[in-house]
Amino acid sequence: MIKRYQQLINEANHRLRRRYGTELKHMDGGAGSEMGSKYTQTVVFGADKLCWPNGGSDPACAAIPYSTLPKDAYGPLTDIDPRGFHNRPRYLNSGTVMGPVKDVRAIYQVAVEKVEKDHRGSLGDQFVFAEIFGEQEYQ
């Protein structure tokens, strides 16, 4: 499982580097600088075939990138099955999360702030985490 996580992170960071490029990063302690990815990913959530409980026009559903699985992964009905059986997973599922504790904790802190400030507590964790992901992708 750890090897799969590391592979997913490496692939995601390669895509981010291709899309957004690199920038000069200053090393801790003033020991110089080096080129590094402008954005990196360290946390992975599980993926779902259907977007729920958020509405279809909500950024949690509408702004999410397409799956990296092949476009014909489930045959000719891939991504057009209204029941979702043949859809490639792409929507956040809050039931599974992996990453460094420091980074996961930061995401959970944003979720707690949303629940407390925006009164999202009654909507459930799936709604809140999908909303955070959707807002990130929409920007």
Side-chain angles (χ1 to χ4, degrees):
M1 186 182 305
I2 300 297
K3 286 182 181 179
R4 180 69 177 132
Y5 161 79
Q6 291 169 336
Q7 179 184 352
L8 285 169
I9 290 298
N10 287 337
E11 291 169 0
N13 286 330
H14 180 73
R15 285 191 303 275
L16 288 169
R17 195 169 26 265
R18 270 196 339 253
R19 183 169 183 178
Y20 298 106
T22 58
E23 66 182 1
L24 192 62
K25 303 237 180 196
H26 299 285
M27 300 173 77
D28 291 336
S33 57
E34 62 182 25
M35 293 302 288
S37 295
K38 190 169 185 180
Y39 300 106
T40 58
Q41 178 177 335
T42 60
V43 177
V44 175
F45 278 86
D48 213 326
K49 292 182 174 196
L50 298 172
C51 188
W52 66 276
N54 311 65
S57 62
D58 189 293
C61 300
I64 302 308
Y66 288 99
S67 172
T68 57
L69 291 174
K71 291 182 180 184
D72 61 351
Y74 297 106
L77 295 178
T78 300
D79 293 342
I80 59 172
D81 181 1
R83 297 170 299 153
F85 295 119
H86 296 100
N87 294 350
R88 294 176 294 165
R90 66 184 264 219
Y91 304 104
L92 185 139
N93 184 303
S94 64
T96 305
V97 60
M98 288 184 73
V101 172
K102 172 183 89 159
D103 299 336
V104 172
R105 184 177 287 135
I107 295 169
Y108 273 73
Q109 185 59 46
V110 172
V112 167
E113 290 169 9
K114 274 191 157 304
V115 167
E116 291 174 350
K117 179 181 159 215
D118 300 337
H119 308 291
R120 297 290 212 219
S122 64
L123 299 172
D125 65 320
Q126 176 68 28
F127 185 97
V128 173
F129 284 110
E131 184 176 66
I132 292 168
F133 183 42
E135 289 170 352
Q136 170 191 292
E137 294 303 303
Y138 184 73
Q139 293 179 7

